[in-house]
């Protein structure tokens, strides 16, 4: 009677959201201060003052009859022009407002782009571990999802990628800084990936597109992620301000197609068509206006670095194993038992809410989101220590 695929997606729910809701129930039962919820990547640092200042100004100064009205489907020109200028100045890459499409966050940027690129039989390659929604987005658009392993430190493995790419590969999704590992890919790694994609595109006589999923671009602790359109012309950037401006709930982002991209104008039309077909037209208009003024600003991201240093330092001193994260706000910690799901269940006894890695496409790890108040981290440390102690008895 209903769409079976949608019904299944709705019923199985996301492991992360399930945990988040469990955490909310637990907080009601035993008090919020006694639950250590590391499940969701929901920014806890406030948006910068400029964002709220701009909202207040817009409410004061924009004529009421236009304030909440529709923009064009692809978004306000002023927002797209501000973004294009920012890309040109910051990254030295030619960028035109007319090749930018405003979206409801990176999730919409990805679904719109995947849908725009798709032809029957296409495959989409992701690097494991990967953001679990990639499977939903790619399969929803019709692709077969192909998973390429990374190396033991979660760096891109070129041989594995080469094996994963076939004449059916339309897109490779790269997410750096990475959810869930915190890896930031180097320019050398991305140049090597670009060379591989050039080679494969030439061999197959059709471009393999690189989708740069960039909601964490500004969240780095030293390493600067290279700008992928500068390295590979057939890159489409899927960006959002969910994390950089702490606007996750406001749903605002964009798709950027570089002018150098093959058939850029036609691809942009396909993006507009996909947006239309999926109902992603006219992104939230108040926030289009806000980002037009605040592009390039960030929340106080140094707070995440302090959280990272505290949590990484403490957990590794207790004996947990974890690759030091260079960006985003996640630790990807090796589970002390083979089943990460079993470990996460045991962690719940200590009121620690951790996400098992299976849905990220690898087994044996847990993701710890450290975009939480410092006090939560401080108070949780004895629980982390006692939890690991169970395995040392
Ligand atoms: N891509 C990655 C890797 C993410 O971690 C997220 C959200 O956490 C998204 C995309 C979706 O971002 P948005 O909330 O802007 O839709």
């Amino acid at each position: 009677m209903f769409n079976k695929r949608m019904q299944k997606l709705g019923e199985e729910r996301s492991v992360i959201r399930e945990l988040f809701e469990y955490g909310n129930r637990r907080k009601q039962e035993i008090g919020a201060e006694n639950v250590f919820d590391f499940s969701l990547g929901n920014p806890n640092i406030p948006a910068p003052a400029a964002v709220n200042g701009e909202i207040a100004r817009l409410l004061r100064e924009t004529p009421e009859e236009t304030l909440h009205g529709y923009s064009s489907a692809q978004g306000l020109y002023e927002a797209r022009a501000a973004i294009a200028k920012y890309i040109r100045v910051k990254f030295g890459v030619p960028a035109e407002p007319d090749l930018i499409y405003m979206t409801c966050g990176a999730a919409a940027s990805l679904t719109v782009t995947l849908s725009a690129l798709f032809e029957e039989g296409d495959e989409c390659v992701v690097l494991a571990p990967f953001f679990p929604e990639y499977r939903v987005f790619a399969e929803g658009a019709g692709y077969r999802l192909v998973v390429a392993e990374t190396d033991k430190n979660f760096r891109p493995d070129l041989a594995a990628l080469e094996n994963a790419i076939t004449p059916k590969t339309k897109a490779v999704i790269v997410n750096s800084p990475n959810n869930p590992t915190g890896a930031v890919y180097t320019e050398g790694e991305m140049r090597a990936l670009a060379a591989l994609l050039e080679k494969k595109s030439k061999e197959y006589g059709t471009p393999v597109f690189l989708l740069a999923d960039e909601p964490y671009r500004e969240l780095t602790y030293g390493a600067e992620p290279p700008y992928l359109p500068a390295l590979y012309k057939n890159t489409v950037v899927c960006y959002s301000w969910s994390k950089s401006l702490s606007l996750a709930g406001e749903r605002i982002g964009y798709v950027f197609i570089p002018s150098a991209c093959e058939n850029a104008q036609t691809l942009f039309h396909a993006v507009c068509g996909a947006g239309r077909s999926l109902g992603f037209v006219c992104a939230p208009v108040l926030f289009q206006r806000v980002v037009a003024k605040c592009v390039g600003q960030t929340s106080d991201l140094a707070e995440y670095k302090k959280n990272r240093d505290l949590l990484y330092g403490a957990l590794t001193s207790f004996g947990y194993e974890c690759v030091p994260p260079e960006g985003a706000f996640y630790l990807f910690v090796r589970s002390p038992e083979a089943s990460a799901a079993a470990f996460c269940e045991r962690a719940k006894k200590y009121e620690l809410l951790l996400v098992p890695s299976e849905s990220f496409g690898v087994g044996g790890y847990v993701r710890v989101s450290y975009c939480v108040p410092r006090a939560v981290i401080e108070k949780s440390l004895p629980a982390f220590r006692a939890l690991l102690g169970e395995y040392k008895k």
Side-chain angles (χ1 to χ4, degrees), residues 105-107 110 131 134 175 179 213 215-216 240 242-243 251:
L110 286 162
F131 179 51
Y134 288 167
N175 170 226
N179 173 9
D213 178 25
Y216 302 97
S240 86
S242 295
K243 320 287 176 173
R251 317 306 300 134

Side-chain angles (χ1 to χ4, degrees), residues 325-360:
E326 303 162 306
F329 39 46
Y330 308 104
L331 288 188
F332 205 52
V333 180
R334 188 189 280 280
S335 163
E337 61 181 299
S339 162
F343 175 60
C344 290
E345 274 310 305
R346 198 186 286 251
K348 281 185 182 165
K349 277 199 312 189
Y350 296 86
E351 308 302 343
L352 285 168
L353 306 187
L354 317 175
V355 182
S357 62
E358 279 80 8
S359 60
F360 296 95

Side-chain angles (χ1 to χ4, degrees), residues 80-353:
R80 293 180 290 117
I83 295 162
K85 181 169 175 207
Y86 178 74
I87 292 172
R88 287 194 301 270
V89 172
K90 170 91 181 156
F91 305 113
V93 166
E96 297 303 327
D98 290 344
L99 293 174
I100 290 174
Y101 189 93
M102 303 302 294
T103 64
C104 300
S109 303
L110 286 162
T111 47
V112 161
T113 307
L114 284 167
S115 179
L117 291 171
F118 179 75
E119 290 173 295
E120 211 48 53
D122 279 350
E123 295 175 347
C124 172
V125 174
V126 294
L127 284 68
F130 56 88
F131 179 51
E133 297 305 283
Y134 288 167
R135 180 176 293 285
V136 180
F137 299 160
E139 291 180 352
Y143 294 84
R144 190 171 86 82
L145 190 83
V146 178
V147 177
E149 303 297 324
T150 50
D151 77 7
K152 64 180 188 347
N153 292 321
F154 307 118
R155 314 303 308 182
D157 175 341
L158 226 56
L161 269 164
E162 181 150 18
N163 271 339
I165 296 172
T166 74
K168 294 180 175 170
T169 308
K170 179 61 70 68
V172 176
I173 305 180
V174 164
N175 170 226
S176 167
N178 186 266
N179 173 9
T181 65
V184 177
Y185 303 150
T186 64
E187 182 167 334
E189 286 167 331
M190 292 299 95
R191 279 195 187 282
L193 173 65
L196 173 66
L197 298 186
E198 296 280 7
K199 184 178 98 175
K200 289 292 175 186
S201 301
K202 206 175 259 171
E203 190 179 322
Y204 304 145
T206 173
V208 177
F209 288 89
L210 184 58
L211 268 53
D213 178 25
E214 302 222 313
Y216 302 97
R217 160 158 286 280
E218 294 82 3
L219 276 73
T220 60
Y221 311 118
E224 173 81 2
Y227 198 58
L228 300 186
L231 306 183
Y232 185 64
K233 68 173 187 165
N234 290 320
T235 298
V236 180
V237 177
C238 296
Y239 183 85
S240 86
W241 286 273
S242 295
K243 320 287 176 173
S244 59
L245 284 180
S246 303
L247 291 178
E250 304 298 355
R251 317 306 300 134
I252 188 76
Y254 63 81
V255 174
F256 162 53
I257 299 171
S259 341
C261 189
E262 220 159 288
N263 298 317
Q265 194 58 59
T266 318
L267 176 56
F268 186 71
H269 287 148
V271 163
C272 294
R276 184 177 168 196
S277 134
L278 293 165
F280 281 135
V281 291
C282 173
V285 79
L286 183 64
F287 283 87
Q288 290 192 49
R289 293 198 170 93
V290 169
V291 297
K293 290 288 183 314
C294 298
V295 60
Q297 301 203 33
T298 64
S299 304
D300 182 7
L301 305 178
E303 289 300 309
Y304 294 132
K305 183 173 186 306
K306 292 183 198 154
N307 283 1
R308 177 198 73 155
D309 293 346
L310 174 62
L311 193 61
Y312 175 77
L315 295 198
T316 49
S317 79
F318 299 157
Y320 286 98
E321 288 174 45
C322 172
V323 174
E326 303 162 306
F329 39 46
Y330 308 104
L331 288 188
F332 205 52
V333 180
R334 188 189 280 280
S335 163
E337 61 181 299
S339 162
F343 175 60
C344 290
E345 274 310 305
R346 198 186 286 251
K348 281 185 182 165
K349 277 199 312 189
Y350 296 86
E351 308 302 343
L352 285 168
L353 306 187

